[in-house]
Amino acid sequence: MKRNISRMLGLLLLVSMLGGCSAVQLEERNFPMLAAVDDHGGLVEFTYGFPALSQKDNTDMAEAKVNVPMTAKSSFSEALSDYERQMSKKADCNHLKVLVLGKNFVEERKAFDEMLVSLKKTELFPRNTYVCVTGDVESLLAVEENLPEDLGTYLEMYLQNHESDQQIKLINLGKLLDERENRKEAINIPCLGVENDAIVPEGIFTVDFR
């Protein structure tokens, strides 16, 4: 009997310790809703987009310390690492909704391919993350100032709503990664633009992996 009680106490202690560790880890994370990648003068630019309020405790963005400027490095991996190095907390991308790609970046096939290889290997972003392309990443990001919610959440709903209107055919990151590996068909990615400070559909951007 004493031995069983000791085992139960030991198990309860272990569960308590594990629960404490999880709570600490949660406090050390930020949760981006969007990631954006572009090319500028041969350098790869990267940034995350965060909700206006922390998902953990409703602190504002300034308090959460996620206002890191877009970084620019020679590769996607370096730009991502440099961005995350400047953050006060670790980025938890499990809630990422949209990956925004600049046209210039996608057309620079070597850098674009390096990003896809990296994301396939690291599984950093969820496979169900929507992917879209834009000719002006900065203008698209700036639209967030006029939105009632973060841009990642808004774009997710925008893409879904316009697919139902047959204006956009959705594609997620998993499909993009798989087709790059299969190299059997061209992929059409929704293309978005900005007019009068509003997001508008601009057809599709085709990437041929064959």
Side-chain angles (χ1 to χ4, degrees):
M1 179 67 71
K2 291 182 178 179
R3 184 174 300 175
N4 289 337
I5 292 175
S6 297
R7 289 176 177 174
M8 290 179 64
L9 290 174
L11 179 60
L12 289 172
L13 179 61
L14 177 60
V15 171
S16 176
M17 292 174 62
L18 290 175
C21 289
S22 297
V24 172
Q25 291 177 354
L26 182 61
E27 292 175 354
E28 295 176 352
R29 298 176 187 175
N30 283 320
F31 301 90
M33 299 288 108
L34 172 147
V37 189
D38 200 6
D39 173 88
H40 182 74
L43 295 177
V44 177
E45 296 183 321
F46 178 85
T47 189
Y48 280 131
F50 294 90
L53 297 177
S54 165
Q55 291 187 354
K56 182 181 73 67
D57 55 10
N58 288 332
T59 55
D60 60 28
M61 291 182 69
E63 186 176 346
K65 297 180 180 178
V66 295
N67 293 320
V68 178
M70 182 178 285
T71 58
K73 293 292 180 180
S74 60
S75 70
F76 167 77
S77 298
E78 291 179 359
L80 171 66
S81 296
D82 187 49
Y83 188 97
E84 293 191 334
R85 180 183 57 80
Q86 298 180 59
M87 294 176 58
S88 62
K89 299 179 181 180
K90 179 177 177 60
D92 185 332
C93 297
N94 288 323
H95 302 284
L96 195 76
K97 298 179 181 297
V98 179
L99 172 61
V100 177
L101 303 175
K103 285 184 181 180
N104 291 338
F105 173 73
V106 179
E107 290 171 344
E108 180 54 58
R109 290 299 296 270
K110 182 178 180 180
F112 176 55
D113 197 62
E114 186 270 338
M115 181 198 74
L116 296 180
V117 170
S118 176
L119 293 179
K120 180 78 171 181
K121 181 179 179 179
T122 62
E123 299 181 345
L124 176 65
F125 300 158
R127 288 177 59 87
N128 63 350
T129 302
Y130 289 135
V131 181
C132 64
V133 170
T134 182
D136 190 339
V137 171
E138 290 188 5
S139 293
L140 188 66
L141 296 179
V143 171
E144 186 173 49
E145 296 179 2
N146 304 316
L147 300 178
E149 57 195 340
D150 66 273
L151 183 60
T153 300
Y154 180 85
L155 282 177
E156 178 187 49
M157 294 300 298
Y158 182 92
L159 291 168
Q160 291 173 348
N161 290 339
H162 282 75
E163 182 188 42
S164 64
D165 296 338
Q166 297 184 343
Q167 297 185 50
I168 287 175
K169 184 176 181 180
L170 297 180
I171 182 172
N172 60 39
L173 180 59
K175 174 71 172 178
L176 189 63
L177 295 177
D178 290 344
E179 291 309 321
R180 177 202 167 272
E181 191 168 294
N182 296 333
R183 298 186 183 278
K184 292 182 179 180
E185 61 179 272
I187 296 297
N188 294 325
I189 305 175
C191 189
L192 304 178
V194 177
E195 291 183 6
N196 299 320
D197 297 324
I199 297 174
V200 295
E202 292 188 338
I204 59 174
F205 188 91
T206 302
V207 179
D208 197 341
F209 291 115
R210 294 171 293 183

